[in-house]
């Protein structure tokens, strides 16, 4: 259990719940920071492979340039409208850039799974078409926090 989440253990997702949640959700918010310390948050599609969050980012975005300069990010995936429906996951850590930039589709074994997952999830395709404007960023989280307020209506532990 993440030590930072002891107080919220009743609403914390299990690893299996977290993996299922991140697999089904479609949009995340990526927080980066400028050299002056100004935060920047942007929405982005992603895929989760059970250990890393994969972001297919436009290379001409502020997010890309800030991550190239400072390769650390915080990402939030959440949903729910009413208080008792709120669920989410926050992932924080260092990012790495995988494959060529821009991505042209050159063979890269490390990208086989994320590209297949991304193509199926967002495009309904078996393979990802490459537009030579995007490239891959992998966030392997150092910390993960989760919450699922639907658990509050269940029995107390």
């Amino acid at each position: 259990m993440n030590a930072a989440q002891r107080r919220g253990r009743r609403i914390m997702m299990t690893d299996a719940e977290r993996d299922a949640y991140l697999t089904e959700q479609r949009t995340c918010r990526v927080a980066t920071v400028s050299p002056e310390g100004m935060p920047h948050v942007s929405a982005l599609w992603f895929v989760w492979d059970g250990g890393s969050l994969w972001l297919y980012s436009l290379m001409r975005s502020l997010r890309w340039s800030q991550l190239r300069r400072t390769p650390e990010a915080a990402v939030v995936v959440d949903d729910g409208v009413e208080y008792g429906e709120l669920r989410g996951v926050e992932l924080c850590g260092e990012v790495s850039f995988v494959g060529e930039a821009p991505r042209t589709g050159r063979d890269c074994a490390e990208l086989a799974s994320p590209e297949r997952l991304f193509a199926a999830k967002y495009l309904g395709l078996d393979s990802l078409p490459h537009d030579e404007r995007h490239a891959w960023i992998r966030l392997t989280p150092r910390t993960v926090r989760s919450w699922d307020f639907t658990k509050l209506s269940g029995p107390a532990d």
Side-chain angles (χ1 to χ4, degrees):
M1 176 187 328
N2 188 333
Q5 215 174 332
R6 279 191 204 124
R7 285 186 14 200
R9 68 177 171 254
R10 184 167 176 215
I11 62 170
M12 187 172 73
M13 294 180 190
T14 65
D15 290 349
E17 290 168 338
R18 180 207 56 223
D19 289 347
Y21 180 78
L22 290 173
T23 299
E24 76 183 28
Q25 294 300 309
R26 296 179 57 87
T27 306
C28 68
R29 285 180 286 287
V30 181
T32 59
V33 65
S34 74
E36 298 79 29
M38 182 63 96
H40 171 70
V41 179
S42 58
L44 193 63
W45 285 349
F46 70 94
V47 291
W48 172 252
D49 69 5
S52 294
L53 196 76
W54 291 86
L55 308 165
Y56 196 49
S57 177
L58 278 168
M59 293 179 55
R60 295 189 70 161
S61 66
L62 181 56
R63 167 187 53 252
W64 180 271
S65 64
Q66 288 182 342
L67 287 172
R68 291 300 281 183
R69 193 172 18 260
T70 306
E72 294 185 350
V75 176
V76 171
V77 179
D78 65 336
D79 73 325
V81 175
E82 301 297 326
Y83 181 82
E85 301 169 342
L86 299 177
R87 301 180 304 161
V89 178
E90 176 192 55
L91 308 107
C92 300
E94 192 168 337
V95 301
S96 57
F97 298 85
V98 181
E100 80 272 24
R103 182 77 176 122
T104 61
R106 191 173 349 151
D107 282 343
C108 179
E110 200 172 1
L111 292 176
S113 178
E115 288 191 343
R116 181 182 43 75
L117 292 169
F118 194 92
K121 184 175 184 176
Y122 297 105
L123 307 173
L125 300 173
D126 294 330
S127 63
L128 184 64
H130 302 284
D131 62 8
E132 299 183 21
R133 298 179 312 138
H134 289 81
W136 285 101
I137 301 169
R138 177 182 59 215
L139 170 66
T140 302
R142 193 169 39 246
T143 62
V144 178
R145 293 176 183 87
S146 64
W147 57 94
D148 182 350
F149 284 28
T150 65
K151 293 180 175 190
L152 292 176
S153 61
D157 32 44

